[in-house]
């Protein structure tokens, strides 16, 4: 079993909390007129995947596919993305899920724990960001992006 | 008792924790029937339409199958270690979808095709797909998946479009313009400077 299947997967959750809708709030951000680059965001709650929807469409930050890729133009933070999306993100809240301060939402960047406030996490080119609430899920360090992003 | 404790400890050490979800196909396939590669080389429209038609016919016949075409390592996102391991990836992908879909999952890569269904033996299906040749590029993979779905569902294999038209969608118009303008400029330079150079060299 272990030899044949070395990467135990995490199933996608069912129900509306695991499939939050896309939304685009008119957040005032400064965008550089530079080429967009990719950042990968993975969300987990209660040992299940939360889908980051396609269709978040701000001129600085957008998602064109429901695969967790955020296309970024300029210099922004995870907090900017969640503000545009209109979903909660804090030590105790992740999208539609809540937790307590003694079991906070955890963030990982390239597999390493991010201990500063979540909303300040910078969206750097080709970052792989994992947010988790509940049981620990081993975060990937690397994500391969579409060519040209 | 000591043996039980040892086994429990070994299980904790050997069984890896669940891995994060990072393969794009699962996020597409929980809603759709086909994942077409878009991280690298893409499938031509004709080949994609032929595959879609066969998959839809299979579903209409009651044979539920979802198909992931993986044409490059990048199409696996964070689980790129499963590149050229179509059967392992089929097992992985099927388990990611179990709460939303329990039908067959077929994964096609340049070196083979994998099949999985939750809590169901798919040995006969594996034997069928093992015999299918896979052509070059993303279109070759799409055509192989079309043949696989048709054979598994007991459908007639449709005429397959050429597997040579894949790639990144062809040469962009601006590149063609640059090539034509560049060619004309070179021709004009040869016409203008050619005779002068020829005269200088001729004694």
């Amino acid at each position: 079993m272990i030899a044949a299947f070395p990467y135990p997967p995490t199933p996608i959750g069912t129900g509306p909390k695991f499939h939050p809708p896309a939304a685009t709030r008119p957040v005032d951000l400064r965008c550089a007129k530079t080429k967009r680059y990719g950042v990968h965001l993975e969300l987990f709650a209660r040992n299940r995947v939360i889908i980051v929807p396609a269709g978040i469409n701000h001129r600085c930050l957008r998602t064109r596919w429901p695969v967790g890729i955020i296309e970024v133009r300029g210099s922004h933070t995870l907090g900017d993305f969640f503000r545009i999306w209109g979903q909660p993100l804090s030590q105790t809240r992740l999208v539609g899920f809540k937790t307590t301060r003694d079991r906070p939402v955890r963030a990982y960047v390239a597999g390493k724990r991010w201990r500063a406030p979540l909303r300040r996490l910078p969206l750097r080119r080709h970052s792989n960001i994992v947010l988790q609430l509940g049981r620990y899920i081993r975060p990937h360090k690397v994500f391969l992006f579409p060519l040209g992003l | 008792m000591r043996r039980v404790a040892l086994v429990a400890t070994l299980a904790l050490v050997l069984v890896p924790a669940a891995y994060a979800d990072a393969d794009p196909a699962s996020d597409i396939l929980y809603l759709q029937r086909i994942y077409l590669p878009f991280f690298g080389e893409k499938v031509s429209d004709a080949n994609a339409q032929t595959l879609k038609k066969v998959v839809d016919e299979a579903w209409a016949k009651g044979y539920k199958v979802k198909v992931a075409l993986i044409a490059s390592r990048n199409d696996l996102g964070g689980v790129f270690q499963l590149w050229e391991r179509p059967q392992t990836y089929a097992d992985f992908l099927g388990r990611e979808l179990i709460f939303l879909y329990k039908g067959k999952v077929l994964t096609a890569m340049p070196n083979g095709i994998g099949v999985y269904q939750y809590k169901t033996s798919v040995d006969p299906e594996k034997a069928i797909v093992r015999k299918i040749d896979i052509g070059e590029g993303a279109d070759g993979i799409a055509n192989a998946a079309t043949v696989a779905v048709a054979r598994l569902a007991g459908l007639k294999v449709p005429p397959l479009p050429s597997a040579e038209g894949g790639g990144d969608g062809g040469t962009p118009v601006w590149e063609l313009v640059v090539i034509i303008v560049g060619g004309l400029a070179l021709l004009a330079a040869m016409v203008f400077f050619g005779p002068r150079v020829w005269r200088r060299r001729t004694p």
Side-chain angles (χ1 to χ4, degrees):
Chain A
M1 173 72 180
I2 291 166
F5 194 54
Y7 307 104
T10 306
I12 299 170
T14 55
K17 276 187 171 184
F18 289 97
H19 301 264
T24 308
R25 301 280 172 92
V27 177
D28 187 23
L29 294 176
R30 284 184 186 175
C31 292
K33 285 184 180 174
T34 51
K35 199 180 169 211
R36 286 190 173 91
Y37 59 87
V39 170
H40 187 241
L41 175 65
E42 297 173 52
L43 308 178
F44 298 91
R46 295 176 191 152
N47 209 27
R48 299 281 179 269
V49 173
I50 304 170
I51 296 289
V52 179
I56 299 167
N57 194 9
H58 188 277
R59 60 198 166 84
C60 304
L61 297 156
R62 71 179 185 189
T63 60
R64 282 195 290 164
W65 315 281
V67 301
I69 294 176
I70 307 170
E71 292 179 83
V72 183
R73 182 177 271 166
S75 182
H76 305 290
T77 64
L78 196 58
D80 293 332
F81 178 71
F82 275 80
R83 262 205 305 161
I84 288 168
W85 188 12
Q87 293 287 346
L89 173 66
S90 70
Q91 205 181 7
T92 56
R93 294 189 71 185
L94 176 61
V95 193
F97 294 88
K98 289 179 183 172
T99 184
T100 53
R101 281 183 187 277
D102 55 328
R103 300 187 70 194
V105 176
R106 301 178 305 276
Y108 301 86
V109 182
K112 287 187 180 171
R113 181 83 184 262
W114 170 269
R115 296 199 180 268
L118 300 176
R119 299 185 76 91
R120 280 196 218 153
L121 200 160
L123 300 177
R124 296 210 172 97
R125 185 172 183 269
H126 288 191
S127 286
N128 192 38
I129 301 168
V130 177
L131 300 179
Q132 301 179 4
L133 179 153
R135 191 176 151 184
Y136 173 75
I137 293 169
R138 189 183 301 178
H140 287 97
K141 293 180 181 173
V142 178
F143 180 87
L144 300 184
F145 285 81
L147 299 177
L149 191 62
Chain B
M1 189 64 191
R2 194 179 288 173
R3 192 177 291 172
V4 172
L6 181 65
V7 169
T9 309
L10 278 174
L12 281 172
V13 171
L14 293 176
V15 177
Y19 255 92
D21 152 85
D23 56 319
S26 64
D27 299 329
I28 300 285
L29 284 179
Y30 86 90
L31 284 175
Q32 297 177 26
R33 292 174 182 173
I34 302 171
Y35 170 78
L36 294 173
F38 66 98
F39 276 45
E41 190 184 352
K42 295 180 177 70
V43 176
S44 303
D45 285 347
N47 301 67
Q49 284 305 317
T50 307
L51 173 61
K52 184 181 179 303
K53 196 171 167 228
V54 166
V55 170
D56 288 346
E57 279 176 27
W59 278 71
K61 202 184 162 189
Y63 190 90
K64 292 182 180 177
V65 61
K66 294 206 175 198
V67 180
L69 305 182
I70 306 298
S72 73
R73 189 185 294 267
N74 287 42
D75 281 303
L76 291 166
V79 295
F80 53 87
Q81 301 90 337
L82 299 182
W83 171 242
E84 297 193 328
R85 294 170 68 187
Q87 186 54 54
T88 310
Y89 183 56
D91 297 345
F92 183 92
L93 182 58
R95 283 171 168 87
E96 287 183 302
L97 299 171
I98 52 170
F99 293 129
L100 301 153
Y101 170 77
K102 289 185 173 63
K104 287 184 177 59
V105 172
L106 187 142
T107 58
M109 296 190 193
N111 66 331
I113 296 172
V115 191
Y116 172 83
Q117 184 168 18
Y118 182 62
K119 285 189 175 176
T120 305
S121 169
V122 287
D123 289 343
E125 285 86 352
K126 286 180 187 173
I128 290 170
V129 299
R130 206 173 290 138
K131 294 175 191 162
I132 296 169
D133 291 329
I134 299 174
E136 287 290 311
D139 285 346
I141 296 169
N143 284 352
T146 303
V147 173
V149 172
R151 287 191 186 158
L152 292 175
L155 299 167
K156 192 183 167 194
V157 177
L160 298 172
S162 162
E164 294 166 6
D168 55 4
T171 310
V173 174
W174 69 267
E175 274 185 28
L176 289 173
V177 170
V178 168
I179 291 167
I180 291 166
V181 171
L184 287 173
L186 190 65
L187 194 66
M190 284 169 69
V191 168
F192 186 75
F193 293 111
R196 294 182 185 191
V197 173
W198 181 257
R199 263 183 244 131
R200 266 188 219 161
R201 283 189 182 174
T202 310

